Amino acid sequence: MESSTGVLVIGGGSTGTGIARDLAMRGVDVTLVEKGNLTHGTTGRMHGLLHSGGRYAVSDQESAKECIIENRILRDIASHCVEMTGGLFVQRPQDSDEYFQKKLEGCRECDIPAEVLSPEEAREVEPYLATDIERAIKVPDGAIDPFRLCVANAVSTENHGGRIETHAPVTDVLLEDGEVVGVEVTHESGPGKRVHGNEGQTEKIYADHVVNAAGAWTGRIGDMAGVDIEVRPSKGVMTVMNARQVDTVINRCKPKGDADIIVPHETAAILGTTDEEVEDPEDYAEEQWEVDLMIEELKELVPILDESRTLRSFWGVRPLYEPPDTGTEDATDITRQFFLLDHDDRDDLPGMTTIVGGKFTTYRMMAEQLSDHVCERLGIDAECRTAEVPLPGSENTGVLDDAMDQFGLRSPIARRSKQRLGSRTEEVLDVDGPNPVVCQCEGVTRAELVDAIDQSGTDLNAVRLRTRASMGNCQGGFCSRAMADLLHPEYEEAIAREAYDELFQERWKGERHALWGEQLSQAMLNYALHATTLNADSDPARLGQDVDFAAFDGGESASAERTGTGADAVATDGGHDGD
């Protein structure tokens, strides 16, 4: 199978989807390929901070200035992805007065609005701050949904004629006469929307230019093309709490270090992070001490964290880039700036450009500069418009208040739906018949899930990224089966089962690092529901055996006779029948 395109973009994170959107809006024929779901790599594994630039105002003022510029742009073009929480840099007794003053002056030098709050004023903003907080600097930090933002960029790309292919890992970079001419990909379930159970296909996609925006995997793409790209992957852990213990981004006002930020995100709070170099972006240790460190350090800022419930932890890998001959030994000293590597100039290999490094907040700026470069290479004269044109879902959000009662939803559910859907609220929720809530933790309705399935096929993890269903306190314990049920009757039973298994396994990966206290009880309840009550471990239909309907119809005596158990049989709650 072969095809051709103008520009082939590798990587479905914020940078890749931003580049694809920018080029498509300029009229370029563009195709994006991503090995997993959109946000599969670093983008889907960050704490969701929309930087004001305050974190870099002392150590890297160039990055700080870029952040505040893009912060303001994203508030305009992606309003349904952004929550302007505000941010505080708080000073504890042992923190330096000199550094606090440098932070304040640095913010003002970088055009970042900064206001000093007394401890009483800071606790008026955030009542759960520690009582020994001495003062704070207020800055315009915010929270941003990386999943929603990437999906919106991908949808915009398609709306402008581009092609998005997920679950299509690159298996080779095609070279002809010393020039990159395209890539070979393997479609895990055929091109287009993913459908479990479909056979994969290989496709050679020829392109006038290839963009390597694979994040921590850019070095591997470089290896396929025969060029050396010195990516230094650095892992960081994020720990998700069960509620918003704070409504403002809380930063520790000290030089950068581990466990110094809390980001309120949707219904949760995310604690971060560590910074440790790893060899392989897909194979590294996920260590309990990292999770423990988040709680131990950050409870000094917000003591209530010590009494709160931990839902899960996940790790992300930063795609840091070290220019040749830099020789930096400490990963925390590697710059966070981004680099554009033209392989024709750099390696005498025309046809491919790599973009690496940078930050999520500046993804649009990175995409603009890369697209300018590619257009110049291809002789295309077209201006960037991504700073002015809203992303899908952010147009005319002012009219959404009228939708609170329109769809028969109680106001908290309607508000959550509006936050996720933005200007698409009416389009998605205006359905015939009832529209019940399927995911109670996140308030996700059936109409939103059906809309996401229409976009994603049978990939319930892609549905999760679009809706947040299964991302709340129960981690899919109560809603994952109902989500799989929505795949029927369009998809066969076996396909729905495979999709359900994949979703549930993905949820478990993060829960296994939080098995204590109430979350351990939640995990046991989830096990009881799925493995025993729903019989997921030994379902006859799953194992290809006949279903014994008599066991259901015959009542307790028939069941006991069939299994050889009696009144002392163990019940699913760990007690005994009759307890």
Side-chain angles (χ1 to χ4, degrees):
M1 180 178 176
E2 292 185 1
S3 64
S4 63
T5 187
V7 177
L8 187 287
V9 180
I10 304 171
S14 56
T15 306
T17 56
I19 292 167
R21 181 195 187 217
D22 192 322
L23 290 170
M25 290 175 65
R26 300 186 200 214
V28 177
D29 177 22
V30 61
T31 296
L32 180 147
V33 293
E34 161 56 50
K35 65 183 296 186
N37 263 319
L38 296 176
T39 75
H40 170 83
T42 306
T43 296
R45 295 174 174 274
M46 47 94 74
H47 43 41
L49 172 65
L50 177 66
H51 281 278
S52 64
R55 283 177 74 81
Y56 305 114
V58 176
S59 60
D60 184 354
Q61 291 202 342
E62 183 177 350
S63 292
K65 292 173 184 175
E66 291 174 353
C67 284
I68 189 61
I69 291 171
E70 292 300 305
N71 175 302
R72 290 168 173 143
I73 290 174
L74 289 176
R75 287 188 234 170
D76 288 338
I77 68 164
S79 58
H80 73 310
C81 305
V82 171
E83 179 186 2
M84 280 312 296
T85 62
L88 296 177
F89 282 87
V90 297
Q91 182 187 21
R92 300 199 64 234
Q94 58 268 51
D95 297 336
S96 160
D97 287 340
E98 180 183 4
Y99 187 79
F100 186 93
Q101 193 61 32
K102 283 184 177 179
K103 178 72 75 178
L104 179 63
E105 293 171 359
C107 285
R108 290 172 176 169
E109 289 166 2
C110 296
D111 190 31
I112 301 167
E115 175 187 0
V116 176
L117 303 184
S118 67
E120 293 77 18
E121 291 172 328
R123 277 191 290 278
E124 188 173 334
V125 175
E126 282 301 333
Y128 289 122
L129 282 178
T131 55
D132 63 355
I133 295 299
E134 294 197 334
R135 52 181 172 169
I137 302 172
K138 183 179 179 182
V139 296
D141 282 338
I144 188 165
D145 188 323
F147 311 122
R148 208 176 299 161
L149 186 81
C150 281
V151 169
N153 273 285
V155 169
S156 179
T157 301
E158 291 180 324
N159 291 345
H160 287 86
R163 176 186 174 196
I164 303 291
E165 288 291 342
T166 60
H167 302 286
V170 173
T171 54
D172 197 9
V173 174
L174 305 177
L175 302 173
E176 291 182 1
D177 300 325
E179 180 176 355
V180 174
V181 296
V183 301
E184 180 181 87
V185 301
T186 298
H187 296 287
E188 293 183 349
S189 60
K193 291 190 296 186
R194 185 182 185 192
V195 178
H196 290 77
N198 279 10
E199 293 185 5
Q201 299 176 30
T202 298
E203 179 180 4
K204 290 182 177 179
I205 306 175
Y206 291 92
D208 298 329
H209 201 86
V210 171
V211 173
N212 176 11
W217 289 263
T218 50
R220 292 188 178 181
I221 299 297
D223 291 342
M224 293 181 189
V227 296
D228 187 27
I229 304 171
E230 291 291 334
V231 178
R232 300 269 298 267
S234 173
K235 72 169 179 174
V237 66
M238 266 64 65
T239 296
V240 185
M241 311 305 289
N242 70 315
R244 289 168 63 118
Q245 286 79 17
V246 294
D247 284 324
T248 309
V249 175
I250 304 298
N251 303 270
R252 179 82 177 266
C253 191
K254 66 176 186 177
K256 65 181 179 181
D258 290 343
D260 62 356
I261 189 169
I262 307 168
V263 182
H265 185 77
E266 299 278 352
T267 57
I270 301 179
L271 318 184
T273 178
T274 47
D275 193 348
E276 186 173 347
E277 189 167 354
V278 297
E279 291 290 329
D280 189 328
E282 291 184 278
D283 185 13
Y284 50 83
E286 298 179 345
E287 298 177 85
Q288 189 63 42
W289 69 263
E290 297 175 273
V291 178
D292 296 340
L293 181 68
M294 295 301 107
I295 307 293
E296 289 299 314
E297 290 290 321
L298 288 167
K299 74 180 183 183
E300 301 297 328
L301 298 181
V302 182
I304 197 174
L305 289 173
D306 199 32
E307 306 168 16
S308 303
R309 174 176 168 184
T310 303
L311 287 185
R312 60 188 288 115
S313 290
F314 59 91
W315 278 254
V317 178
R318 305 173 186 86
L320 304 182
Y321 174 72
E322 183 180 59
D325 304 324
T326 304
T328 306
E329 294 185 0
D330 186 348
T332 63
D333 289 335
I334 299 175
T335 180
R336 267 52 175 170
Q337 294 179 359
F338 67 88
F339 295 85
L340 190 156
L341 312 178
D342 184 319
H343 294 291
D344 189 3
D345 296 338
R346 180 180 182 267
D347 305 298
D348 196 24
L349 181 68
M352 186 168 88
T353 301
T354 291
I355 187 163
V356 64
K359 299 168 291 299
F360 179 87
T361 299
T362 58
Y363 89 93
R364 194 212 59 83
M365 177 184 289
M366 295 165 64
E368 179 178 349
Q369 293 189 21
L370 189 284
S371 299
D372 285 345
H373 169 79
V374 170
C375 286
E376 182 180 346
R377 278 285 184 190
L378 299 179
I380 297 171
D381 184 15
E383 296 292 324
C384 174
R385 297 186 293 127
T386 58
E388 292 83 29
V389 180
L391 284 159
S394 282
E395 315 95 335
N396 303 320
T397 53
V399 302
L400 292 176
D401 288 340
D402 298 335
M404 290 296 287
D405 299 321
Q406 183 176 349
F407 302 107
L409 296 169
R410 296 178 180 176
S411 56
I413 301 299
R415 184 168 63 250
R416 296 281 296 144
S417 296
K418 287 195 327 180
Q419 289 170 342
R420 288 187 290 266
L421 295 168
S423 58
R424 296 190 65 237
T425 301
E426 183 169 356
E427 171 191 342
V428 175
L429 298 185
D430 190 9
V431 295
D432 295 331
N435 182 26
V437 174
V438 176
C439 171
Q440 285 83 4
C441 295
E442 295 293 325
V444 184
T445 65
R446 184 167 64 192
E448 288 178 75
L449 291 167
V450 170
D451 173 68
I453 289 170
D454 286 344
Q455 298 176 46
S456 312
T458 65
D459 192 339
L460 293 180
N461 276 308
V463 172
R464 171 179 61 84
L465 299 180
R466 285 164 168 78
T467 63
R468 286 189 62 82
S470 80
M471 295 175 75
N473 281 5
C474 82
Q475 292 289 290
F478 291 96
C479 64
S480 57
R481 185 72 175 230
M483 292 169 65
D485 288 346
L486 293 175
L487 296 175
H488 183 76
E490 182 175 354
Y491 300 101
E492 297 293 332
E493 173 197 342
I495 293 173
R497 285 179 182 278
E498 189 175 343
Y500 158 72
D501 286 347
E502 189 177 83
L503 172 67
F504 209 58
Q505 287 167 10
E506 196 285 331
R507 293 287 80 194
W508 170 248
K509 285 191 296 185
E511 286 180 272
R512 65 188 175 181
H513 300 287
L515 295 181
W516 64 85
E518 291 179 338
Q519 194 57 27
L520 176 58
S521 300
Q522 179 72 64
M524 289 305 298
L525 175 59
N526 288 349
Y527 173 77
L529 285 172
H530 291 263
T532 58
T533 304
L534 296 175
N535 205 20
D537 280 354
S538 55
D539 188 339
R542 183 188 297 271
L543 300 174
Q545 301 171 352
D546 293 335
V547 180
D548 182 9
F549 289 105
F552 294 93
D553 297 337
E556 183 179 351
S557 59
S559 179
E561 182 179 348
R562 184 176 63 87
T563 60
T565 57
D568 293 333
V570 176
T572 55
D573 63 359
H576 288 75
D577 289 346
D579 286 353

